[in-house]
Amino acid sequence: EVQLVESGGGLVQPGGSLRLSCAASGFSFSDYWITWVRQAPGKGLEWVGNMNPDGSDKYYVDSVRGRFTISRDNAENSLYLQMNSLRDEDTAVYYCARDGRPGSGFRAFDIWGQGTMVTVSS
Amino acid sequence: DIVMTQTPLSLSVTPGQPASISCKSSQSLLHGDGKTYLYWYLQRPGQPPQLLIYDVSNRFSGVPDRFSGSGSGTDFTLKISRVEAEDFGVYYCMQSTQLPKTFGQGTKVEIK
């Protein structure tokens, strides 16, 4: 079964750090871009950033650039999101999603994990 | 950043009736490669989003043919020919033509 499973969420104080993981199975992880999307409680979806298959390229939304870092370990079929200097407004469910293969022309998020909740509060 | 604006923000529909959602982008979504990277997702309560339509008008695998997407440039539409119980939830359009990828605010489709 093709799936993504996020972990690592929890409660953290403002200014603190947290590392999320996204474990992939059922497909060739190292062939795909993978993306992080977040959803604040009761709000819409916000793209956070993504990384290319070999980890040499990554992009972020302005609101997290310089605070969040995406990395991956293709040997472990895993993507990570290191979140530093966390703010109240980072409180959200964080989803990882499969983002397409280079050269395929397909950029849709076709597989999503169930998400992991991050709460930033004192 | 490209701003995606959906209308209406909520829609009350009787099962069996049609529904239509509009999505307008602040810039053309036509990419230099000739493709238009506009997508539609459905999020049911407590679930992650699921892909319905890619590249404006292509139904994703397993998506019923009562769903259709259309549009070009900056104006796009998702239509459901006959709404069924499983179609209720929040619909989002999203563009992937330019970074950052951006979503519309969402349209909540409820049972009338």
Side-chain angles (χ1 to χ4, degrees):
Chain A
E1 182 189 3
V2 175
Q3 66 175 355
L4 296 167
V5 178
E6 303 90 340
S7 60
L11 174 63
V12 61
Q13 293 188 337
S17 298
L18 210 55
R19 188 194 196 209
L20 306 184
S21 299
C22 169
S25 60
F27 67 96
S28 183
F29 178 75
S30 60
D31 287 343
Y32 288 85
W33 286 78
I34 305 291
T35 240
W36 287 100
V37 173
R38 66 184 179 182
Q39 186 170 36
K43 302 297 184 182
L45 302 168
E46 180 184 33
W47 178 79
V48 173
N50 65 357
M51 175 168 273
N52 70 337
D54 68 8
S56 61
D57 245 349
K58 46 194 169 184
Y59 300 92
Y60 302 94
V61 69
D62 282 350
S63 58
V64 309
R65 189 176 295 114
R67 300 188 298 122
F68 289 11
T69 302
I70 299 174
S71 61
R72 67 192 293 162
D73 183 340
N74 286 342
E76 295 292 326
N77 290 330
S78 292
L79 184 82
Y80 306 101
L81 182 65
Q82 177 68 44
M83 303 186 294
N84 299 330
S85 303
L86 282 161
R87 305 168 180 168
D88 290 352
E89 56 265 34
D90 296 318
T91 294
V93 173
Y94 284 74
Y95 296 101
C96 61
R98 194 171 75 172
D99 194 351
R101 300 173 66 168
S104 70
F106 188 78
R107 300 185 179 183
F109 305 156
D110 61 344
I111 304 295
W112 294 67
Q114 289 296 313
T116 187
M117 181 71 203
V118 172
T119 303
V120 184
S121 175
S122 54
Chain B
D1 297 1
I2 296 178
V3 177
M4 306 295 287
T5 303
Q6 290 180 230
T7 54
L9 296 183
S10 66
L11 197 52
S12 187
V13 185
T14 301
Q17 294 301 303
S20 180
I21 301 169
S22 171
C23 176
K24 296 185 188 294
S25 58
S26 60
Q27 302 173 37
S28 173
L29 298 187
L30 179 62
H31 192 274
D33 65 7
K35 296 185 71 171
T36 299
Y37 295 103
L38 186 282
Y39 309 94
W40 290 96
Y41 297 88
L42 165 61
Q43 185 176 32
R44 299 188 180 100
Q47 295 296 314
Q50 61 183 88
L51 177 65
L52 297 176
I53 302 287
Y54 65 95
D55 300 351
V56 179
S57 59
N58 297 283
R59 278 187 302 276
F60 186 56
S61 175
V63 175
D65 62 7
R66 62 180 180 273
F67 289 92
S68 64
S70 63
S72 63
T74 61
D75 289 353
F76 304 93
T77 302
L78 175 71
K79 291 183 178 178
I80 311 172
S81 59
R82 294 173 308 280
V83 174
E84 297 190 6
E86 64 186 20
D87 302 338
F88 294 97
V90 181
Y91 290 79
Y92 295 93
C93 61
M94 188 200 86
Q95 68 81 23
S96 194
T97 294
Q98 182 183 113
L99 292 178
K101 304 189 183 199
T102 47
F103 291 89
Q105 320 96 300
T107 295
K108 186 172 186 178
V109 176
E110 299 176 304
I111 299 174
K112 192 171 186 178

